[in-house]
Amino acid sequence: MPEREPEPTTATPPATASGPGRVLVAIYAIFAIGSTSRAAAQIATRFDEAPVPYALSALAAVVYVLATVALAKHGVAWWRVAVVACAFEMTGVLVIGTASVLLPDAFPDATVWSNYGMGYLFIPLVLPVFGLLWLRRTAPRR
């Protein structure tokens, strides 16, 4: 009887919420909860004091919620949503961080992304980098 050759296997990338991705999802979830509650409190109690920063805090909250959900889900469409959310987050941190440094009077109160996330130990600056690196590693095969 001839010996059978093993079936070729196609290695599938890990799901975005597996392995180190679980830690990433947990951190994003913490930021989603924190930024949502912060933005809600700021908008509900003091919106007239700093409308632009508080609106940007709300935008950051939406991005963190979207990134959390997308990273936790499986599938090509969710992977793409996660890439867009992380890339948008990175852009937001860089743009808002730079604007808050160069135009401090425009930011009478901080946002999550002000000063590159200094109020959050710069985690908002490095989180999208890790997110995008993880998404690159878990990219769907074509």
Side-chain angles (χ1 to χ4, degrees):
M1 184 188 256
E3 197 172 311
R4 286 183 24 173
E5 289 186 33
E7 298 272 331
T9 59
T10 56
T12 59
T16 55
S18 66
R22 289 181 183 190
V23 174
L24 197 60
V25 170
I27 295 169
Y28 267 102
I30 291 167
F31 269 82
I33 293 166
S35 60
T36 299
S37 59
R38 176 184 180 153
Q42 289 172 327
I43 289 170
T45 61
R46 309 184 319 238
F47 187 72
D48 56 327
E49 293 175 20
V52 172
Y54 297 159
L56 290 171
S57 287
L59 175 63
V62 169
V63 172
Y64 285 123
V65 168
L66 184 61
T68 301
V69 171
L71 285 165
K73 297 284 189 174
H74 188 68
V76 175
W78 284 112
W79 180 87
R80 287 183 180 142
V81 170
V83 169
V84 170
C86 289
F88 186 89
E89 176 194 2
M90 186 68 182
T91 303
V93 171
L94 294 174
V95 170
I96 302 307
T98 302
S100 64
V101 169
L102 297 177
L103 306 166
D105 292 339
F107 293 86
D109 200 358
T111 73
V112 176
W113 296 340
S114 294
N115 298 313
Y116 307 104
M118 184 171 69
Y120 293 88
L121 305 174
F122 297 102
I123 294 171
L125 182 62
V126 298
L127 190 58
V129 173
F130 286 117
L132 290 168
L133 288 172
W134 181 247
L135 288 164
R136 182 175 179 209
R137 183 166 189 263
T138 61
R141 303 281 189 242
R142 294 186 182 233

